Structures are given as structure tokens and as C-alpha cells.
Amino acid sequence: MSSSPPPEEREKKDAEAKAREAEEQGKLPYKWTQTIQDVDITVPVPGNLKGRDIDVVITKKKLKVGVKGQPPIIDGDLPKDIHVDESTWTLETVSSSSTKEIALHLDKINKMEWWPHVVTSAPKIDTSKITPENSKLSDLDGETRSMVEKMMYDQRQKEMGKPTSDEEKKTEMLQKFQQQHPELDFSKAKMG
């Protein structure tokens, strides 16, 4: 007997969790989005502010954003480290309104991981429910790219009923061994 809830109940729980998450994120004094490589944050501020009125401190492990002379809007530890030199902020005028926003771009060091929140004191999102946008092989680092290409090759080989790259290597090694040891009888050898 299975202990997992029926699909209707699971969908209901997922919808409730998603609604709760949306409500928690909506209460934050900022909006944020992420890709697997970076995090973008926008913080609304009054339209009369200039860049010199803004207080932003970006370090490898911490983020502080606010208006000088006021309590910070964001102040806390980042969930993961960032590249400080590749991370930026700007003060931008929001079209169709008299407000501005502080736009921050944080460049993740680990480009293979989703963040559950911007700062560790903020409510978490369920990163297992993130659906990433399609990426190109050229976007991947060398090691990951070669692993994905190998997986794609092996999948095509299986679909055609041909051996995978690992099976081809085993066959080559066996053939080499047989050539080096002609005195051995391989007629009854079983592979697999």
C-alpha cells in the first residue's frame, strides 16, 4: 500500500504551498528573479532620490541595500557566494511612474545551483519547483558540456540499438586484450 497522497491531494498541497510562497514573496520590500547563473533584484525607492542617496554594500557573502540615514531595506547574508567584481547596482527611473528602483545584479560563483532566497533571513522558495529556461550547450562550462554531449550521444545510440560510448570502450579494451593474448581462448567468454 502506497503512503503517498493521491494526485488530487498532492496538487492541492502544491497549490497551497505555491500560494503561500507567492504571498510571502509579495510581502518582501523587493522583487527578485534568478537564472542558474545570476540573481537580479529590484528595490522600489522614492523618485526624488539620487545615486548619492543610496547605500549599497555588496560583498562575497553579504548584501546591504537602502537609503542613507534610514534602516536598510535588505541587510543579510547571501545563501551562496557571489563574484563581487561581476555584481553591480544602478538607480533607474521607472517609466510610467514617478518612482525609481535600485536594480542589483549578483553574479553567482556556483552557476549550477538555485537560490532559495536572496538573503538567509528572507522566506525560502521551493527550488525543486523551478523550471529553468532552455539553455544552449554553448552556455555550459566545458566539463558539464562534455558530460551532456556524452549523454546525448548515448541516448541516440540506444535509440538506434547500438552500443553506448561505455560499451564501445569495453569492446575496444577486450579486442586489445585479445590481440595482446592470442594464446587465450575467448570463444566461450560472456560479455555483460
Side-chain angles (χ1 to χ4, degrees):
M1 197 161 103
S2 176
S3 63
S4 65
E8 311 81 50
E9 199 175 309
R10 194 171 40 243
E11 284 173 19
K12 185 180 176 206
K13 283 188 190 303
D14 283 351
E16 288 170 359
K18 191 173 179 118
R20 186 177 60 251
E21 188 178 282
E23 183 183 343
E24 289 173 347
Q25 294 297 311
K27 289 179 182 173
L28 294 172
Y30 56 87
K31 301 272 181 255
W32 69 288
T33 59
Q34 68 177 316
T35 66
I36 200 76
Q37 288 117 355
D38 50 41
V39 174
D40 291 305
I41 309 157
T42 55
V43 183
V45 293
N48 62 338
L49 295 178
K50 305 266 188 247
R52 65 178 172 268
D53 301 319
I54 305 302
D55 182 23
V56 175
V57 180
I58 301 173
T59 68
K60 187 175 183 178
K61 299 176 181 291
K62 290 183 178 286
L63 177 64
K64 182 179 167 191
V65 180
V67 177
K68 287 181 182 167
Q70 296 178 20
I73 299 166
I74 303 173
D75 189 9
D77 295 327
L78 298 169
K80 304 289 176 187
D81 294 352
I82 61 165
H83 291 287
V84 177
D85 293 342
E86 301 298 321
S87 299
T88 60
W89 71 272
T90 57
L91 180 63
E92 299 174 357
T93 302
V94 179
S95 60
S96 77
S97 91
S98 60
T99 62
K100 292 184 178 179
E101 64 185 20
I102 303 167
L104 298 110
H105 175 83
L106 306 179
D107 189 58
K108 297 177 183 177
I109 287 181
N110 181 346
K111 296 188 182 304
M112 299 303 290
E113 194 168 16
W114 296 106
W115 285 14
H117 38 206
V118 173
V119 288
T120 56
S121 58
K124 291 183 176 185
I125 61 167
D126 183 354
T127 56
S128 69
K129 303 279 190 232
I130 293 176
T131 309
E133 72 277 359
N134 289 335
S135 58
K136 300 179 197 84
L137 276 175
S138 59
D139 293 342
L140 302 173
D141 64 80
E143 186 180 334
T144 306
R145 180 179 178 170
S146 61
M147 183 175 63
V148 170
E149 286 174 336
K150 179 183 180 294
M151 290 166 58
M152 290 168 61
Y153 173 81
D154 288 345
Q155 185 63 35
R156 282 193 304 271
Q157 290 291 96
K158 277 184 179 178
E159 287 171 358
M160 294 187 293
K162 295 182 178 178
T164 64
S165 55
D166 290 338
E167 293 166 344
E168 287 175 341
K169 276 184 194 168
K170 285 179 190 173
T171 303
E172 284 175 29
M173 284 175 37
L174 179 63
Q175 287 173 346
K176 241 184 226 176
F177 186 78
Q178 287 173 329
Q179 288 169 352
Q180 292 170 348
H181 301 281
E183 72 279 4
L184 297 175
D185 179 18
F186 289 95
S187 61
K188 294 187 174 101
K190 291 184 180 170
M191 292 291 290

